[in-house]
Amino acid sequence: MPILTLIPHFSERPWGGSALTAYGAPSGVPIGEAWVVAAHPNGVSVVESATGIGQETIGLGLDQVWENHRHVFGDLPGERFPLLTKIIDANDWLSLQLHPNDAQAPAGDLGKAECWYVIGAEPGAQLVHGITESDLEAAKIRILQSDFDGFFVYHDVHVGDFFDVPTGLVHGIGPGIQILETQQNSDTTYRLYDWDRPGLDGQLRPLHLQESADCVRTDVPHGTTTPTVSTQDGFERRHYVTNAHFGVDVWHVSGETTVERPHPQLIIVSVVSGSITIDDGDGPVSLVVGQSAVIGAHPEPLHLDGAGEVVVSWPVQ
C-alpha cells in the first residue's frame, strides 16, 4: 500500500506571519496556517506523489482519496478522514478560544480535540493553556461577563515543548511561535477574546461567549506533557498522548532502523527537522524538513533511514 506525499493548503490569518513561505506559502500576505494533511471543506491538501497503488491518487484532494479510494487505508471506516495536521505560524496573538467536543459541536461537524508540538519559539514567547478559575460555574459566569482580569494561565514556550489541548480547555498561541498541530478533522472554534483586533475584512471578528461558557472545562491540567520514552539502535520514540481520537509520537531517527507501525491502516508523518527515508514495503520515500505524508495500510513494519525528527500521528478507532 502507498505512501502519499501532499501539497499543503494555506490559510491567511490576521495574526499570520511569513515563516510558512518555507513550506510553499505565498509571500506578501499573512499566512497563519499550512494545512499539511487536510481533508476538510475549508481546506484540502493534494496528493503530489505516491508509491504502490497510491499512484492512482496523484493530483487528487485527500478528501477524494478518502471518499473514492478507501482501499488505500484498508477500508478504514468513517464518514470523513479522521485527522487534520497543521503548521501554525503566529506573528501575533491568536484569539483566546476553546473547542467543543463531539456532542457539543454544530450539526454536521466534529469536536476539536488537538495537541501542539512546538517547532519554533522566539526568546520570551508565551502561550495560554488553561484558566486560573477552578470552579466551573464561576468560570462560566466570568466568560459571559468578559471578566478576564487574571483569568488566563500563561506559559513560557521552548522548542520541543508539547501541549495537549483537550476540548473545553481555554488556549491561545502567542507571537513568535510555530507549532505542529494534530487535531480532529474539524474547524469549529469558539472565541472568548480576540484582543479587540480587526479581521482581514477590517471588522472585529465575532466572539462566542455563550458557546464558550457552555463548553468550558476546569478539570484538565495545564502545561506541558511529559512523554513516555523508548529507544532502540538509531531510534527514539517519545509517546505524548493517546485519547479517544488520536495518538501522537515524536520519533528521533539517527541511522537505519525498523519499527512497528502504531496503526495498521493509517499513519501521518511530518518531518520537523533533518531528513528521513521511509519504506513501508512498497519502496522508499525520502522526506525533508517541512514535508508530510500519509502512510496507508500495509502489513510490513516501517524501515527508516536518515537523521531527523518526525511527528507521527494515527487515528484511534
Side-chain angles (χ1 to χ4, degrees), residues 61 125 184 272 288:
Q184 290 180 262
V272 295
V288 300

Side-chain angles (χ1 to χ4, degrees), residues 3 251 257-262 267 269 278-281 295 300-304:
I3 300 176
W251 292 358
T257 190
T258 299
V259 300
E260 294 299 320
R261 292 166 169 261
I267 306 165
V269 296
I278 304 175
D279 191 338
D280 73 338
I295 304 175
E300 297 296 323
L302 299 177
H303 185 78
L304 310 177

